[in-house]
Every structure is written in structure tokens, then in C-alpha cells.
Amino acid sequence: MTLADSPLSRRLLLGAGAALLATPAIAQAPWPNRPIRLVVPFGPGGSTDVLARLLTEQMAPRLGQPFVIDNRPGAGATLGTGLVADAAPDGYTVLLSAISAFSVGSTLYRGRISWDPVRSFAHLGMIQSGYYALMAHNGTPYRNPAELAAAARARPGIGYATSGVGSLPHLFMLRFAQQAQIELQHIPYRGGAQAVNDVVAGVVPVTLDGIASSVALMREGRIRGIGITGPTRQALFPDMPTFVESGFPGLVAEGWAGMAMPAATPRPIQDRFAAVLKEVLELPAIVARYAQLAIDPGTRFGDAAQAFVAQEVETWRPLVLASGATVD
């Protein structure tokens, strides 16, 4: 009996064959087969966090796996964004991308971040676009941006709260102060919800935040909306004037948010995630909820979302540099 005919040899050959057969099955394991982590680079309760939870509640059963929301605020949303850029490109770490990190933070923190807003990410789809509301504590006398500007001229240093240094609300308020030729004091928080709550409590007189997170507060009269960053008034709050009609031409800003994965994530995973996201955004219940929050659902997915983010970065870069905003 030769070595090749021995029982040991036959067992080794059978084992090797089984291993070879098993290898492709492991490599081609269906995605997803475990929970998906969604990093939200803002604190809980803010407008983007609200959308993250709303959408993933519908996406989870369609993908067959739950989502774990991981709030990682800080550094103008660039902290949580960087965590996803450095994550394994396996489809199990997703970013709630936002204009604050990509259009503003990528330029403002350019010496402190190692990721690129376009090349480091696969932008899967946009989930919303909408405007920001300037809101004041009920005990203040302000009814529109012009009255706030007049008060700041008489008493320089009125404080305003935002979701953080380098956020779009921070940049917008810098532009407002420059155009109005006034001095305001920036009070950064680690999320829009905390900023809004302190204005409701009277700790800070005003804040600028995404309208979605404060619709209920304004409807209940717990905080007063005094300005909208859109080009026209909003149907939900027809009495809230725009900055433009308050005497500040060109002072318009539209916020956006999306979902992204590390750039090297396999394309089939990207495509499946984007398809489920698009399906959920078109659900009648989601469309109705978006209308209640005064925001528009995203309409760009896949390559169109990637191109949109690239364009936004180029549009905002000169504005960030010209604003004089710093991270200190």
C-alpha cells in the first residue's frame, strides 16, 4: 500500500477538499448577517438623529438586521465622520453624513483630519434637505432677525447657541453678524437638541438649528421662531420671516444629510443599502412624517449622491475660508 492509498492520506485529502469547498461559502456570506452600526456625528435628539432613528426603524426589517445608533458628536461633526472613514469597509459601519462635516468641517478642520470628504466615502443616498430656524427664548423681545441685529448693536455680545464649532449654523451666524455689522457671542454645544433645550430654559437667548428638531416646540409655543434660512417662508410657519426679507440679501442656507460608507465597501453592498434607503424614503408614512417636520426627502442615490457631495464641498469651501471661522 502506497502512502497515497493510506487511510491517513485519504482523510487529509478529504479534509482539504472540504476546506476548499467551505472557503467560498465564508467569503460569500450574505450581507448583512449581523447588526449594522450607524454613526450619527451629533448628540441624541437633534434633527439628524431624529431622521436616523425614523429611517432605520423601517430599514431594519427590510435588511433583516437591526441598526445600532452610535451618537459621536464633536469637532463640527468631523469626529464621528472620521470614525467611519477609518472603519472596515464591510458594510457594517454607516455614517449619517451631514453638511456640517462635509461642506464646512472638511475645510474648517482641514489641518486636523485625515479623511477626504469625497474620496474617503461612498455616498449612498441623500436623506433630507431643509432649512434652519433662528429661535429665541420667549422672554426675549426679538421677533425677526432685524430686531436681533438692532439689539446686538445696542448691546454687543448677545449669545447664540449652535450644535458646535464648525457647524453650518455657526458659519451662517458668522455671515449674519458680518452682514449686519454686529458682534455676537458663539456658544457651542455638542448637539442641536442641547442647544435648543437651553434656549427654551432661558440659559441662552437664541439658537439656529435644523427646523425638524423643533417643530413641536414652536407649535407648542415653548420657543419662538424668528427667522428661517430659506428663500421663502415655510408653509408650517407662515409668520416666520426669512433673513432675506428682514434686510439681509443673499443670506440663505439649505442643510442636507445623507448616508455613507467607507469608500472601499463592495459595490453590491452599497447598491443594496441605497435601494432599501430609497424604498423607505418613498413610503407614504415617511413622506407624511417628513411633511410634518418641514423637510424634503432625499432624491439622489448612488453616483448622483456622490456627485452632489463633491459639488457641495467645492461650493462651500470659499465661503468657509472667507468667513474667517476658526476652530479655536
Side-chain angles (χ1 to χ4, degrees), residues 16-284:
L20 288 172
L21 289 172
T23 299
I26 294 173
Q28 297 174 11
W31 176 91
N33 58 20
R34 64 177 190 268
I36 299 168
R37 174 194 182 200
L38 177 62
V39 176
V40 178
F42 300 98
S47 55
T48 50
D49 182 69
V50 168
L51 293 181
R53 297 174 192 276
L54 177 68
L55 295 177
T56 54
E57 182 179 322
Q58 296 294 330
M59 294 180 71
R62 289 166 171 79
L63 288 171
Q65 291 292 334
F67 281 79
V68 177
I69 306 298
D70 186 3
N71 294 96
R72 294 297 187 99
T78 63
L79 177 60
T81 300
L83 291 177
V84 177
D86 294 335
D90 55 10
Y92 291 99
T93 304
V94 183
L95 174 70
L96 197 295
S97 57
I99 186 172
S100 289
F102 286 88
S103 297
V104 180
S106 61
T107 296
L108 194 60
Y109 288 84
R110 60 193 179 278
R112 305 188 183 190
I113 59 175
S114 59
W115 49 268
D116 182 87
V118 179
R119 292 191 298 271
S120 298
F121 295 92
H123 293 280
L124 309 171
M126 311 316 296
I127 65 169
Q128 71 100 354
S129 62
Y131 300 105
Y132 297 86
L134 181 65
M135 295 167 282
H137 176 63
N138 285 333
T140 65
Y142 325 127
R143 291 295 187 278
N144 54 60
E147 290 186 3
L148 173 60
R153 290 190 190 97
R155 184 169 58 87
I158 292 175
Y160 68 94
T162 74
S163 55
V165 173
S167 63
L168 189 136
H170 177 207
L171 179 63
F172 185 91
M173 291 300 286
L174 282 176
R175 292 175 60 199
F176 168 58
Q178 289 171 351
Q179 194 166 340
Q181 298 182 323
I182 58 176
E183 179 184 336
L184 298 172
Q185 180 186 359
H186 181 218
I187 304 173
Y189 283 72
R190 291 178 65 82
Q194 298 94 320
V196 171
N197 287 341
D198 267 10
V199 172
V200 171
V203 177
V204 185
V206 296
T207 184
L208 187 76
D209 191 45
I211 195 171
S213 62
S214 303
V215 167
L217 292 173
M218 287 189 283
R219 280 177 167 168
E220 293 166 5
R222 297 176 60 195
I223 195 170
R224 184 192 309 129
I226 65 171
I228 190 78
T229 66
T232 60
R233 297 195 182 199
Q234 296 292 291
L236 278 181
F237 299 101
D239 295 331
M240 192 190 310
T242 68
F243 279 80
V244 173
E245 69 180 280
S246 297
F248 304 98
L251 208 55
V252 175
E254 181 177 2
W256 56 259
M259 290 193 185
M261 289 179 179
T265 303
R267 189 60 187 251
I269 293 177
Q270 296 181 35
D271 291 345
R272 185 178 177 202
F273 189 100
V276 171
L277 177 61
K278 183 175 186 295
E279 177 187 347
V280 165
L281 283 167
E282 292 173 351
L283 292 173

